[in-house]
Amino acid sequence: MSAPPHPLQMLSVKETEKARDIVLASHPDHVIEFRQVDLKEPCKKDLVPFLQIEHDGQLSQMTSRPPRMAKCHYDIIAANMAIQYHESLVDLEQGKMVENIVVGKEFCPSLTLGEFDTLIEVCEASAVFKSAVKELNLPSHMEVIIEPWPYGSLEVGDEPGRYFQGLAYARDTPNGNNPDSNFYSFPIPMIPVVDYYKRELVRIEKLATGGKGDPLTASARDSMNHPLDHCTTAEYVPELIQSGVRKDLKELSVVQPDGPSFKVSDGSLVEWQKWRFRVSFTAREGVVIHDVQYDNRDVFYRLSISEMTVPYADPRAPFHRKQAFDFGEGGAGMCANNLSLGCDCLGAIKYFDAVAVGKDGAVKVQPNVICLHEQDNGIGWKHTNWRTGRAVVTRNRELVVQFILTLANYEYIFAYKFNLSGELDIEVRATGIVSCVNIDAGKTSEYGNVVNPGVLAQNHQHIFAVRIDPAIDGHANTVIQEESVAEPMNSKTNPMGNFYRVVQTPITRSQWADAAPLSNRIFKIVNTSKLNPISMKPVGYKLVPPPTQLLLADQRSLQARRALYAQHHIWVTKYKEGELWAAGAYPFQSQGEVGGVQDMVDRGDDVENEDVVVWSVFGLTHNPRVEDWPVMPVEIHQIQLKPSDFFATNPSIDVPSNKNLASQLVENGKCSGKDLTNLNGSNGVNGNGVTGINGSTNGVVH
C-alpha cells in the first residue's frame, strides 16, 4: 500500500480529475466552465501538529492526517447565459463536496486565458471593429494584433458586467511573415472594449497621440496617412536582428561533476545544506514555500508572493483604467513559463511540474514550471591574517527556487534564494517589453518616453507584496521595529559625541510601517521565549524593507483605493485562516480594496507573542529609457531575511574553503590550462600564504 500524499503535496492529475468529477456530479444538468482547481491547504491548527510529528521522525501509515481537500473555482452558466461564480471545497477522501459558496455579484473572479481568447474572437468577428481598422488605411502587409488587458474599474455609465479591453498593435509581415516579429513597434491608437457576458463589442475608444502641450483627448486624424506611417521595426529574435548577434561571446558553462548538493524526496521535500522545506505551486501565487527549517529549527511556516499591481501614470482617457493586479486578477501560476534546460536555469537542474484545468474541465500537466538549482554568488566570507599571511575564503553558494511569468508584454522572474549562512533572499527581476502607445512624429511626452519612432513607453509602477508567515522557533512571534538614532552630545551619556542609540519598539497591535533608511529602520521577527545563549537576546530573523517608492496615484483615485496595500512598506497582522491576499481576494474590476491588509490592520488585533504575518511591500517606479527597448534588461529588486541572534555563531563557518580546479589562468586572451597553485609565487592562492591553497602548506585549510 503506497503512502498517502503529504498534506502540502500539490494535487496530482488523478486528484484534480476526481475533484472535477465531483463538481460536475454536484451540479447535474448545468453547463460548467472551470477556472482553477488547487489544493486547499490544511488549516494551520490541523497541519502544525502533523508537521511536528514529521519533524520528530515519528510519521507512519497510522499517523492521522489532515483532510485532503481541493478548492474548485468555476462558473455555472444558465440557459439565459447568466453566470454564477462558485468556490467549492471537495473532500477527496470522502469523495464529496463539503462546501459550496456562490460569490456575490459585487465581486468578480480572476480572469482566465480563455476569456482573453474570447476578447480577440469578439473583436475579429465584429463589423464595427473591422470598420475601425479599415478607417486606419493600414498597408496590406500589416496584420492587426490585439493584446488583451483587464478592464480596470467600471466607468461612470458602464452597465454592470464583466469587461475586457485590448491594446491594438500591428505586425509588419514582409520579414517572411515571421510570427515572432515585434508588433509592439506599431501601436494602433484605439482600444476595443468587450462585454464578456454578452460576447459583444461595447465600444472602440480612440486614443490621444499628442505630446507636450496637446489636449488630453484624441484629436481628428488625417485620413490620408495611416497612424503607423512614422513607426519603424525593432526586432529582438536573433534571426530578425538587422546587425545579427555578437560572435565574440564565448561559452560559460556551469558544471557540477559530482552532481547537485540538494536532495528532493516525497514529491516536494527539498533538503540542502541544513535547509529543509517543501515547495508547491498554485494557480494564483505560483511558487509557495512551506515549512522552512534550518538545522532542524523552525524558521518560516509559509512564504509566497501575494500580489503585484502595475498602475500606469498617463492621465489621458482611458489609461486611468490601465492598472493590472497580476496575481489577483490574472493568476500568476496560470501564466508560468515552461522552463528550458540550459536557458532559464544553468547547472544541475531539478524541475517541478504543476497541474492545470481548462474551462472544459480537461486536466493537463504544466511541465517545468519550477526550477531548482544551485548557483555561485561570489565570496561568502573571507579573512586574511596579515601577520601570518594566511587567508581563508569561502564561496556564497545559493539554492534557488525559481519561476517565470509572461504577462502579455512583461516577464517577471521570481526566485527564493537560500544560502549557506541561513539567509533567504526573495528576488524579483522584471524584463520583457515595455507597454507602449502611439505618439505623433517628432513629439515628446511627459507621460512617458519615446523609445522608438512613434512609440511612447508610458511611465508606470510595479508594486509587489510578499507574504511572510514566520515560525521563529515556534509560532508565537513578535515583530520589533529597530532604529539607530544619533544621541546628542552630553556630559552624561555621550561626552565625545560618537555614541548612537539602538531603539527597539515592539509592535503590539496590527499596523503598518514604512522604511526609513536614514535611521536604519529594520524589523526583527523574534521569539521572546527563546534567548540566544551568547547575546541573551531573543532569537530572530530581521527584514530590511527596501526603501522603494510607494504608490504615487492620488489617494482619492481609483488606482489608490484599489491598492491600499501599496501605500506602505510593512504590514503586521495577526494570522487568520484564509487571509492570503494583500489586495483582497477579488481585485478584478474592484472599486476599492476589500479584505486586504488595510482591513486586517483595522481589526486592531494583538500581535505581540502571537501567530503573526508580515507583509513586505516594495516596487519599481519605471520611467522607461531608450535602453529598455525593444526588450528591457532585467531590473532587480529583493528583500532579505537574515538571522539575527538566531545562531550561536556564523552558521557558514564550517563551509569548506576548496580550490576550484576548473579555474584557469588567462594568457594572451586564452586559457593556459596551467595549475594556479604554483603560479602565485609568495602570494599563494586566495591570500598571502607561502604555498598551497588559502595559505596552508598542504592544500587544506586548518
Side-chain angles (χ1 to χ4, degrees):
M1 179 178 178
S2 60
H6 190 277
L8 293 172
Q9 177 66 28
M10 293 179 281
L11 296 181
S12 66
V13 170
K14 287 186 177 180
E15 288 177 313
T16 307
E17 290 173 339
K18 183 175 182 179
R20 173 204 62 195
D21 293 343
I22 292 170
V23 168
L24 292 173
S26 301
H27 302 285
D29 305 319
H30 286 83
V31 176
I32 292 179
E33 289 187 354
F34 285 88
R35 292 183 169 275
Q36 62 192 63
V37 176
D38 274 321
L39 173 71
K40 167 60 174 68
E41 294 172 20
C43 295
K44 185 183 275 192
K45 66 179 178 60
D46 298 327
L47 184 57
V48 168
F50 174 87
L51 294 177
Q52 188 58 58
I53 295 171
E54 182 185 18
H55 298 164
D56 293 341
Q58 301 300 314
L59 273 189
S60 71
Q61 293 277 30
M62 304 302 295
T63 301
S64 177
R65 293 169 180 260
R68 185 80 171 158
M69 310 280 279
K71 186 166 187 179
C72 307
H73 306 247
Y74 54 94
D75 295 328
I76 292 183
I77 304 173
N80 63 355
M81 297 304 291
I83 296 177
Q84 266 190 346
Y85 172 54
H86 289 241
E87 293 181 358
S88 297
L89 291 182
V90 169
D91 189 316
L92 294 168
E93 295 163 348
Q94 297 186 35
K96 66 178 184 180
M97 185 180 294
V98 296
E99 180 179 286
N100 179 38
I101 297 174
V102 180
V103 178
K105 295 293 185 183
E106 68 273 23
F107 298 116
C108 292
S110 60
L111 61 86
T112 68
L113 298 182
E115 290 176 309
F116 276 177
D117 293 337
T118 298
L119 165 72
I120 295 171
E121 291 164 3
V122 168
C123 290
E124 290 178 343
S126 167
V128 174
F129 184 77
K130 291 176 182 177
S131 176
V133 171
K134 186 175 181 180
E135 290 178 6
L136 296 173
N137 294 324
L138 297 179
S140 59
H141 58 81
M142 288 207 164
E143 173 191 4
V144 175
I145 303 290
I146 301 168
E147 183 93 305
W149 262 73
Y151 186 66
S153 250
L154 295 183
E155 300 271 32
V156 175
D158 280 337
E159 294 182 6
R162 186 172 176 85
Y163 296 90
F164 290 91
Q165 60 187 347
L167 307 183
Y169 300 91
R171 184 163 61 86
D172 200 12
T173 59
N175 283 324
N177 200 21
N178 190 314
D180 291 313
S181 182
N182 182 16
F183 57 81
Y184 294 102
S185 299
F186 300 95
I188 297 173
M190 67 179 189
I191 287 181
V193 176
V194 166
D195 184 323
Y196 175 74
Y197 289 155
K198 295 180 179 179
R199 303 296 205 270
E200 66 181 31
L201 184 72
V202 175
R203 64 183 180 272
I204 292 179
E205 297 173 322
K206 302 292 180 67
L207 304 182
T209 58
K212 288 181 180 177
D214 289 333
L216 297 180
T217 55
S219 54
R221 189 179 62 79
D222 181 0
S223 60
M224 299 300 294
N225 297 308
H226 68 80
L228 307 180
D229 199 33
H230 57 306
C231 299
T232 62
T233 59
E235 304 292 1
Y236 64 90
V237 294
E239 66 272 21
L240 295 181
I241 297 175
Q242 189 171 10
S243 59
V245 298
R246 303 179 189 188
K247 308 297 184 188
D248 59 347
L249 187 62
K250 298 180 181 179
E251 182 179 354
L252 190 158
S253 296
V254 178
V255 179
Q256 294 179 265
D258 299 324
S261 296
F262 60 78
K263 180 177 74 171
V264 178
S265 60
D266 195 23
S268 62
L269 178 62
V270 178
E271 295 173 280
W272 177 79
Q273 296 299 301
K274 303 182 183 180
W275 285 105
R276 181 190 187 278
F277 57 88
R278 288 189 179 268
V279 60
S280 73
F281 195 86
T282 75
R284 180 160 176 166
E285 300 158 292
V287 167
V288 180
I289 305 294
H290 306 268
D291 190 25
V292 181
Q293 290 190 307
Y294 188 94
D295 206 11
N296 300 315
R297 294 173 65 187
D298 291 339
V299 183
F300 301 105
Y301 178 75
R302 193 181 193 274
L303 300 165
S304 64
I305 311 296
S306 176
E307 191 54 272
M308 168 178 60
T309 190
V310 186
Y312 281 75
D314 191 332
R316 299 172 298 177
F319 299 127
H320 59 281
R321 289 200 318 262
K322 197 174 178 185
Q323 179 185 21
F325 289 80
D326 288 313
F327 284 68
E329 284 185 330
M334 293 189 292
C335 302
N337 290 188
N338 305 130
L339 305 175
S340 299
L341 190 65
C343 298
D344 300 300
C345 309
L346 303 181
I349 310 299
K350 164 66 180 176
Y351 289 113
F352 296 85
D353 299 336
V355 175
V357 60
K359 71 177 183 179
D360 60 354
V363 178
K364 64 178 182 179
V365 173
Q366 287 181 276
N368 298 3
V369 292
I370 307 171
C371 72
L372 176 72
H373 68 285
E374 296 171 280
Q375 67 183 22
D376 180 272
N377 193 13
I379 290 175
W381 60 262
K382 178 177 181 176
H383 180 64
T384 301
N385 186 337
W386 63 269
R387 296 168 182 81
T388 65
R390 173 83 175 275
V392 181
V393 60
T394 66
R395 304 298 299 177
N396 181 24
R397 191 183 300 194
E398 298 173 327
L399 181 70
V400 182
V401 184
Q402 178 175 290
F403 69 110
I404 302 176
L405 312 180
T406 296
L407 300 164
N409 54 300
Y410 258 112
E411 266 77 17
Y412 298 94
I413 302 147
F414 294 93
Y416 296 85
K417 298 162 61 175
F418 301 81
N419 72 21
L420 301 169
S421 298
E423 300 169 352
L424 169 61
D425 294 344
I426 303 175
E427 180 183 89
V428 180
R429 297 185 178 215
T431 180
I433 299 176
V434 288
S435 186
C436 50
V437 295
N438 194 293
I439 186 169
D440 297 338
K443 293 185 178 180
T444 60
S445 174
E446 60 184 327
Y447 312 136
N449 196 26
V450 178
V451 294
N452 207 56
V455 177
L456 177 69
Q458 294 165 304
N459 297 336
H460 59 283
Q461 294 182 283
H462 310 251
I463 303 179
F464 306 89
V466 175
R467 182 179 182 275
I468 303 164
D469 188 346
I472 308 299
D473 272 342
H475 295 272
N477 292 163
T478 300
V479 179
I480 295 175
Q481 177 180 293
E482 179 180 288
E483 297 179 285
S484 300
V485 297
E487 176 86 354
M489 184 182 292
N490 66 86
S491 59
K492 184 176 181 181
T493 64
N494 194 17
M496 303 306 294
N498 62 313
F499 172 59
Y500 65 84
R501 191 177 299 277
V502 178
V503 179
Q504 292 192 331
T505 307
I507 294 176
T508 60
R509 295 282 176 183
S510 56
Q511 67 176 67
W512 54 261
D514 287 323
L518 295 183
S519 63
N520 192 46
R521 181 178 292 171
I522 65 171
F523 295 85
K524 290 184 176 180
I525 309 168
V526 303
N527 186 330
T528 58
S529 68
K530 303 283 182 70
L531 299 182
N532 184 287
I534 307 299
S535 68
M536 301 307 295
K537 294 179 180 178
V539 298
Y541 264 67
K542 74 173 183 178
L543 165 65
V544 182
T548 56
Q549 198 161 30
L550 295 164
L551 188 71
L552 288 169
D554 190 286
Q555 290 193 356
R556 298 167 294 178
S557 69
L558 268 174
Q559 281 191 355
R561 298 206 308 268
R562 299 179 72 208
L564 299 179
Y565 85 89
Q567 299 174 35
H568 297 289
H569 290 112
I570 295 289
W571 302 79
V572 180
T573 64
K574 187 174 182 177
Y575 179 87
K576 186 177 180 181
E577 199 66 43
E579 287 189 336
L580 300 174
W581 318 122
Y586 306 106
F588 191 92
Q589 281 185 199
S590 66
Q591 295 291 305
E593 182 180 295
V594 177
V597 289
Q598 184 66 65
D599 286 342
M600 300 175 203
V601 160
D602 286 346
R603 292 196 299 258
D605 293 330
D606 182 3
V607 292
E608 189 172 20
N609 296 321
E610 293 282 355
D611 192 354
V612 300
V613 177
V614 179
W615 311 73
S616 178
V617 176
F618 61 98
L620 156 66
T621 297
H622 191 182
N623 304 323
R625 312 166 297 154
V626 174
E627 292 84 356
D628 290 331
W629 185 261
V631 179
M632 65 177 283
V634 292
E635 180 104 13
I636 303 173
H637 291 269
Q638 65 181 16
I639 65 172
Q640 294 181 314
L641 294 162
K642 292 176 172 278
S644 181
D645 294 335
F646 190 76
F647 301 106
T649 186
N650 174 359
S652 63
I653 203 70
D654 59 350
V655 173
S657 182
N658 294 334
K659 176 185 176 184
N660 178 256
L661 298 177
S663 297
Q664 297 184 38
L665 188 68
V666 173
E667 293 180 340
N668 300 319
K670 296 182 179 180
C671 294
S672 67
K674 295 179 180 178
D675 184 352
L676 294 182
T677 303
N678 298 318
L679 290 173
N680 291 285
S682 60
N683 289 327
V685 178
N686 290 331
N688 299 315
V690 179
T691 58
I693 302 173
N694 293 327
S696 67
T697 57
N698 59 1
V700 178
V701 177
H702 295 289

